Amino acid sequence: MKPQIVKDLLMSQIKTIAANAKSFCIDTERNFSRKRKLTMEKVITGIIGMGSGSLTNELLDLFNDSPETPTSSAFCQQRSKITVEAFEAVFRLFSKKLCDSFDDQLPILAIDGSKIQIPTNPDDVDSYLPGTNGQKPYNLLHLNALYNLQHQIYQDAIIQKSKYANEHLALVEMVDRSLLRNALLMADRGYESYNNLAHIQEKGWYFLFRIKDGDYGIKQGLTLPDEDSYDISFELNLTRKQTKEVKELIKDRNHYRWIPSNMVFDYLPPKSRKSDPVRFYKLSFRIVRFPISEETNETIITNLPTDKYPAEEIKKLYALRWGIETSFRDLKYTMGMLDFHSKKVECIQQEIYAHLIMYNFAEMITSHVVIKKKQRKYTYKANFSVAAHMCKKFYRGITSPPDLETIISRNLVPIRPDRHRERYQSARIFRGFLYRVA
């Protein structure tokens, strides 16, 4: 997809939402009812194109350094009239249009979450966390994202406040509302749940989850060999009833499992009367265990067919999941998602969706830039930091093709798949408005 087509596609989605302004205003009767310099379309367009600079400088860029540039105060007043759902709608419409252009027999998706620290605000009790052990209090949001590993774009996202953060609910919601007929969904250990697997199975998708390695979690109660490598298929019948007959069946631990009433499972009633018949839900899967180093092993649960996806292929597939981890890094640091231009939670959520949109915009353009192959030690790819910078300029109308593709293709970095570095665990905190880049 050519850069201009991607841009036209994004701008058309923004115009669609702006044309239906009353559905995305705080006050449907008064907001954006008069003609103003800062229309809904202009505000949404500006926020999507924002970088890490101060709000005044971002506005000067948006209005091409015009002396008629609106003040920061005027911009904040206008953006506070727009709901978060407006940006979410642009993101989902744009993502759907991009996904409709793909022609994959089996889309490979990954789901994961990332914490985002926002300005401390005790009044927002749903995101506020009191500090412990001398730590200062802080506020957190949780971003749940569904990521296409083949095309490196975000297909769906849900933002939750820390008090109500639930990755399992987010997974179920995003899977159930997806329009994809088939897909392979990968996730790390935090998503291990019978309910999650059942929703994916009912959707007609495949799952490939890393599960807890030990005698707990889904592995608990199953009879498994005490070996470093194995590949075993199961057809586990889940039930909530505990009749005498069921108790006898449950002794066959590899075929029957009792689910307590306090465990979430949407495909069995939480309670039943004695006279009600016993209901079972059949969950089919494989548990695959393999070594990843001399000292460590990984355990995977999947419903991929054994003949097409042996253990070695499962190992290669799961390695692709790391793509969503690197995407979070690019989203936060390269795209500048941690440098917000407001302290209001609703405005911060607007900017999170805006950065997801710009990330997809930059990735879609960058992925179609041709990189010439030369006699080099490594294979090279586009430097995403430079590419994102140029894509923002293209979005704002400062540059245009073919200069855009030429600059991206000239700024490359080597791909070193075997390079490993120690993971940096320290979280980056919110950066105050007085310390932004000029």
Side-chain angles (χ1 to χ4, degrees):
M1 195 179 290
K2 294 182 179 179
Q4 191 59 50
I5 296 176
V6 178
K7 184 177 179 179
D8 292 343
L9 199 60
L10 174 54
M11 300 311 295
S12 68
Q13 308 314 312
I14 296 173
K15 288 178 180 178
T16 300
I17 298 303
N20 194 21
K22 285 190 176 181
S23 300
F24 299 100
C25 290
I26 301 297
D27 188 335
T28 56
E29 297 298 325
R30 298 168 59 186
N31 295 160
F32 295 101
S33 58
R34 292 185 295 171
K35 187 175 181 181
R36 291 179 178 271
K37 186 182 297 183
L38 284 169
T39 62
M40 178 179 277
E41 182 180 342
K42 193 71 173 179
V43 173
I44 294 175
T45 302
I47 292 174
I48 291 173
M50 279 185 179
S52 299
S54 65
L55 181 55
T56 300
N57 289 346
E58 294 291 342
L59 289 173
L60 287 170
D61 289 341
L62 177 63
F63 285 87
N64 299 319
D65 300 321
S66 168
E68 301 298 322
T69 299
T71 63
S72 299
S73 176
F75 185 83
C76 289
Q77 290 178 51
Q78 288 297 90
R79 74 176 297 183
S80 63
K81 299 174 184 177
I82 306 174
T83 63
V84 177
E85 287 73 22
F87 290 84
E88 183 182 4
V90 174
F91 164 68
R92 292 183 63 188
L93 287 171
F94 181 52
S95 300
K96 183 182 181 302
K97 290 292 183 182
L98 295 180
C99 293
D100 289 345
S101 67
F102 305 149
D103 188 22
D104 302 315
Q105 291 185 348
L106 184 66
I108 302 176
L109 312 177
I111 191 167
D112 208 346
S114 183
K115 295 176 181 179
I116 302 169
Q117 186 168 347
I118 62 177
T120 304
N121 179 12
D123 294 331
D124 185 36
V125 294
D126 292 342
S127 66
Y128 181 75
L129 295 170
T132 57
N133 299 324
Q135 185 183 31
K136 292 182 179 179
Y138 56 97
N139 289 64
L140 277 184
L141 296 179
H142 193 83
L143 173 63
N144 302 276
L146 189 65
Y147 186 73
N148 189 309
L149 293 165
Q150 293 156 301
H151 300 280
Q152 300 167 353
I153 69 163
Y154 289 99
Q155 290 198 193
D156 202 353
I158 293 174
I159 302 170
Q160 300 169 326
K161 294 185 178 181
S162 58
K163 186 176 180 180
Y164 298 102
N166 189 317
E167 293 183 330
H168 297 278
L169 288 178
L171 179 146
V172 167
E173 184 177 344
M174 287 191 283
V175 168
D176 288 352
R177 74 187 183 191
S178 174
L179 299 178
L180 292 175
R181 293 183 178 180
N182 67 324
L184 168 61
L185 181 61
M186 295 196 283
D188 208 353
R189 288 172 294 189
Y191 292 90
E192 180 178 350
S193 160
Y194 285 125
N195 191 52
N196 291 346
L197 301 182
H199 273 269
I200 299 169
Q201 180 175 275
E202 290 296 315
K203 188 74 174 180
W205 290 7
Y206 294 108
F207 54 80
L208 196 157
F209 286 19
R210 182 185 177 192
I211 61 175
K212 296 171 184 176
D213 198 14
D215 296 329
Y216 40 85
I218 287 179
K219 289 178 66 177
Q220 184 181 14
L222 296 175
T223 303
L224 296 167
D226 187 18
E227 299 174 3
D228 291 337
S229 302
Y230 52 77
D231 186 349
I232 304 174
S233 298
F234 295 88
E235 286 192 353
L236 199 60
N237 295 279
L238 308 175
T239 184
R240 288 199 189 272
K241 296 206 74 172
Q242 273 194 309
T243 63
K244 289 182 180 180
E245 293 79 8
V246 170
K247 288 180 180 179
E248 286 298 317
L249 291 172
I250 289 173
K251 291 179 181 178
D252 183 359
R253 304 197 303 174
N254 283 4
H255 292 90
Y256 294 90
R257 176 66 55 86
W258 174 70
I259 303 293
S261 59
N262 62 351
M263 181 183 291
V264 176
F265 192 79
D266 297 330
Y267 298 98
L268 289 173
K271 293 183 180 180
S272 59
R273 294 173 296 181
K274 254 187 177 181
S275 57
D276 292 339
V278 179
R279 288 183 58 185
F280 291 99
Y281 181 87
K282 183 178 287 187
L283 188 63
S284 302
F285 58 87
R286 297 158 54 196
I287 292 187
V288 185
R289 181 174 166 84
F290 47 79
I292 56 173
S293 68
E294 294 181 0
E295 299 178 353
T296 57
N297 302 280
E298 273 185 1
T299 307
I300 300 293
I301 186 168
T302 182
N303 60 345
L304 287 167
T306 309
D307 54 344
K308 292 184 179 179
Y309 297 92
E312 194 60 34
E313 191 65 25
I314 295 292
K315 184 177 180 180
K316 292 178 183 177
L317 277 173
Y318 186 73
L320 298 176
R321 192 204 66 84
W322 193 251
I324 192 171
E325 301 283 1
T326 57
S327 76
F328 282 143
R329 180 193 64 199
D330 290 334
L331 185 64
K332 289 182 177 181
Y333 303 110
T334 304
M335 304 306 297
M337 192 181 71
L338 297 181
D339 296 322
F340 304 113
H341 299 86
S342 176
K343 291 187 177 181
K344 293 181 180 179
V345 178
E346 293 76 15
C347 294
I348 290 172
Q349 290 176 326
Q350 290 177 357
E351 293 195 33
I352 292 173
Y353 281 116
H355 284 296
L356 287 168
I357 294 166
M358 183 51 64
Y359 178 93
N360 284 356
F361 179 80
E363 274 287 3
M364 199 66 187
I365 292 174
T366 305
S367 64
H368 289 81
V369 173
V370 178
I371 307 298
K372 293 182 180 179
K373 293 184 179 180
K374 297 181 180 180
Q375 292 288 338
R376 294 167 169 163
K377 180 179 179 181
Y378 297 106
T379 302
Y380 278 69
K381 65 177 182 178
N383 184 325
F384 187 67
S385 179
V386 175
H389 175 71
M390 292 306 302
C391 287
K392 282 186 179 181
K393 283 182 172 290
F394 171 57
Y395 173 79
R396 291 173 172 173
I398 300 172
T399 188
S400 60
D403 294 344
L404 173 67
E405 294 101 316
T406 302
I407 294 172
I408 292 174
S409 65
R410 289 179 61 185
N411 290 272
L412 308 175
V413 291
I415 301 173
R416 299 186 178 97
D418 298 324
R419 171 176 280 192
H420 297 282
R421 291 178 177 174
E422 186 177 349
R423 195 171 181 182
Y424 187 59
Q425 298 287 349
S426 178
R428 178 177 165 184
I429 63 173
F430 173 76
R431 188 158 55 127
F433 298 137
L434 295 177
Y435 300 95
R436 297 295 170 86
V437 177

